Amino acid sequence: MPAASDDFLMLPVDLLRAGLFIHLDLGWMSHPFPRGRFRLGGSDEIDTLRRLGVREVRVQRSMSDAQALLDACSEWQHTKDDAQRDAPAVPAARTPEKTPEKTTAAASPLAVAAGAPNPLLDTFRNDGAQRRLRAQLQSQRDSLAHSERVHAQATRGWQSVMRDAVSRPQQAHQAAAALANGLCDELLGDPDTTVRVIGEAAGTAQSQHALNVTVLSLLLGRSLGLEGAALQDLAMGALLHDVGKLLLPDHLRNADASNPALLLRECREHVAQGVRLGMAMGLDAEVLRVIGQHHEWHDGSGLPQGLSGAAISLPARVVGLVNRYDRLCNPPAGEPMRTPHEAQAHLFAHQRAQIDPVVLAAFIKLLGVYPPGSIVQLSDDRLALVVAVHPARPLRPTVRIHDPRVAPEDTPLLHLNDQPALGIRRSLHPQHLPRTVVDTLSPRGRIHCYFAHDLEPARARAAQVA
């Protein structure tokens, strides 16, 4: 679909900078570039344009880096202001009268593109775009801070439950129920709730695993139609699915991944001990089934009873899948780490027979092909971190673009749902990227997920409701 005419503006070559997406109005034999439309990568390309005698270039706003566009237009405005301030005064009697048509025609080429008014530059004249950018960045920071703050509270709640589970089981039950209820409210309180990757996560690897499994299980359970008490039981089961590890000896709790026999014993023992602790806590039967069945598999190859198909409760099938996914992304010491994209692909390619196909299909639809935490290459070759995926638009996630000139917290998020011409080309592993790129995108050694609210522009949320 061709871009709208007001998506373009004419910029003098001297104002160009890396990150702007330009269209050359030259024949393909009249310039040395591979394509006539491309994103400027540096000063060499700009110098080539000067040598070609090009004075102005069409810039496409929607395909350009926001910060580069902001800097270029701000510089243009300062240049114009300086020129007006330094111009010699003209006696009023000799100033020719200008008609509205002449005023428009005499305006800078930046003010008109393809014969259409340019609303972007109008906003720059009154600093509106800068205010909107600052507001957008502040909204992003507020949303992330809220997710990290509530995640930290949930982590403390889970740690409190674990401290009391053995010595004060009834009190642990009450605390777990309160935490599960709070997480369900967090999910259901906003119909636009999505899943995001958060940068900082409090607690231990065990608490982070429990929260990851619970958040993703609730989102998956909701997509499968669970609600009310069933969703509450799912949250309780997910939070407590590994509670039996509290009663394991150290050599089992920290079983070496290279010892399959020890891992098998650890699996059997922590499930059995978890059911025992759950009964002491007075947990409902459905919650106990999640704890007792989250290592059972659809084809009957799981533990401890070898159950299959519908004999495994739906909440247990949900938690079992998400538990396996998080272990692939955030493995114990000694096991290889996979990116979220690789983990999902591994489940589908190698373990599909062990997973309920309905649950697996819903999980892939929920997170999309590139789950939060994935580093991707966009169709215009830029690198980005997938920050969030909306269940209604799994193939059009929200990403943070790699820009070495801008701190991650100062980089506006890009909603691919608002960029029809832009997509994802492939997923990349951090090990295959320069250290500087990984540090700028800031993916952590572990992937932490939590609920997110108000990440998308208001117009996108309104369109989804409609």
Side-chain angles (χ1 to χ4, degrees):
M1 185 168 115
S5 60
D6 62 357
D7 192 25
F8 294 92
L9 49 117
M10 297 296 293
L11 275 178
V13 169
D14 289 341
L15 294 183
L16 296 179
R17 59 202 63 219
L20 295 178
F21 194 95
I22 68 170
H23 291 238
L24 293 179
D25 297 319
L26 299 172
W28 66 274
M29 295 186 65
S30 302
H31 63 80
F33 302 106
R35 290 177 293 178
R37 299 182 301 163
F38 60 97
R39 186 179 309 281
L40 289 171
S43 58
D44 289 346
E45 293 170 342
I46 298 173
D47 289 340
T48 298
L49 291 172
R50 288 194 185 98
R51 288 196 297 271
L52 291 173
V54 177
R55 301 178 115 188
E56 295 177 337
V57 175
R58 276 197 303 150
V59 174
Q60 187 172 353
R61 295 187 294 125
S62 62
M63 297 291 288
S64 297
D65 290 341
Q67 190 62 49
L69 189 64
L70 178 62
D71 292 344
C73 289
S74 296
E75 184 177 342
W76 170 81
Q77 185 62 48
H78 290 318
T79 301
K80 179 183 176 185
D81 292 343
D82 291 343
Q84 290 176 341
R85 185 170 53 252
D86 296 339
V90 178
R94 299 181 59 186
T95 302
E97 184 178 353
K98 295 182 179 180
T99 65
E101 291 75 18
K102 288 182 180 179
T103 300
T104 302
S108 164
L110 285 166
V112 178
N118 197 318
L120 176 71
L121 295 174
D122 291 337
T123 60
F124 272 102
R125 291 190 183 98
N126 58 19
D127 293 330
Q130 293 163 322
R131 287 197 299 271
R132 285 201 300 275
L133 177 59
R134 286 193 294 268
Q136 179 187 357
L137 290 172
Q138 189 58 51
S139 177
Q140 290 173 194
R141 296 187 189 108
D142 291 345
S143 175
L144 177 59
H146 172 81
S147 294
E148 291 178 345
R149 183 171 58 252
V150 181
H151 182 277
Q153 293 171 353
T155 297
R156 290 192 293 271
W158 183 88
Q159 292 172 328
S160 176
V161 171
M162 294 299 108
R163 282 194 299 268
D164 292 337
V166 176
S167 59
R168 295 186 288 182
Q170 295 299 321
Q171 183 169 331
H173 182 186
Q174 294 175 2
L179 177 55
N181 186 63
L183 290 170
C184 289
D185 288 346
E186 179 84 359
L187 169 67
L188 300 175
D190 178 3
D192 207 47
T193 299
T194 186
V195 59
R196 75 171 303 152
V197 61
I198 60 174
E200 302 295 339
T204 63
Q206 291 76 24
S207 64
Q208 290 162 6
H209 171 67
L211 264 293
N212 279 351
V213 171
T214 304
V215 166
L216 292 177
S217 292
L218 283 173
L219 285 161
L220 180 53
R222 181 181 66 173
S223 72
L224 289 167
L226 296 182
E227 54 186 15
L231 210 57
Q232 177 85 9
D233 288 342
L234 173 62
M236 286 279 282
L239 286 168
L240 300 172
H241 73 278
D242 279 340
V243 68
K245 292 185 177 182
L246 294 172
L247 298 178
L248 295 184
D250 288 343
H251 75 283
L252 284 183
R253 188 183 304 112
N254 303 313
D256 191 336
S258 63
N259 189 332
L262 203 60
L263 287 176
L264 187 65
R265 183 180 168 195
E266 184 273 339
C267 181
R268 290 183 182 276
E269 287 290 325
H270 91 256
V271 168
Q273 296 290 6
V275 173
R276 174 188 165 196
L277 269 179
M279 293 176 68
M281 293 169 67
L283 300 179
D284 293 343
E286 193 57 56
V287 180
L288 292 174
R289 275 192 281 272
V290 173
I291 296 172
Q293 297 177 358
H294 73 277
H295 282 294
E296 301 284 359
W297 297 118
H298 188 69
D299 63 356
S301 64
L303 297 171
Q305 296 177 278
L307 301 177
S308 63
I312 309 167
S313 74
L314 178 57
R317 281 175 267 160
V318 167
V319 172
L321 168 58
V322 176
N323 176 62
R324 183 175 289 200
Y325 169 79
D326 190 63
R327 288 298 186 194
L328 290 171
C329 294
N330 301 307
E335 295 185 22
M337 185 194 79
R338 292 176 171 85
T339 66
H341 174 74
E342 291 172 336
Q344 194 178 78
H346 178 83
L347 290 173
F348 186 81
H350 302 291
Q351 300 179 357
R352 185 170 30 177
Q354 298 176 330
I355 304 170
D356 181 336
V358 174
V359 177
L360 179 59
F363 185 67
I364 293 174
K365 182 178 179 181
L366 174 72
L367 294 185
V369 180
Y370 306 101
S374 301
I375 298 179
V376 297
Q377 182 183 35
L378 301 181
S379 56
D380 62 2
D381 294 331
R382 286 183 293 174
L383 303 180
L385 176 71
V386 177
V387 173
V389 176
H390 195 290
R393 296 174 289 279
L395 298 179
R396 311 295 297 173
T398 295
V399 302
R400 173 174 281 117
I401 300 294
H402 165 62
D403 187 342
R405 301 163 301 168
V406 183
E409 62 273 15
D410 294 331
T411 305
L413 297 181
L414 182 64
H415 308 285
L416 293 185
N417 194 57
D418 293 340
Q419 304 288 329
L422 194 60
I424 294 177
R425 179 170 296 164
R426 58 175 173 160
S427 176
L428 300 170
H429 197 288
Q431 293 177 348
H432 301 153
L433 296 171
R435 185 74 250 172
T436 53
V437 174
V438 177
D439 290 342
T440 302
L441 288 175
S442 296
R444 301 302 191 261
R446 294 180 63 86
I447 304 296
H448 316 299
C449 291
Y450 201 67
F451 302 124
H453 308 283
D454 299 328
L455 270 184
E456 296 189 341
R459 65 179 183 278
R461 298 196 301 273
Q464 178 62 22
V465 172

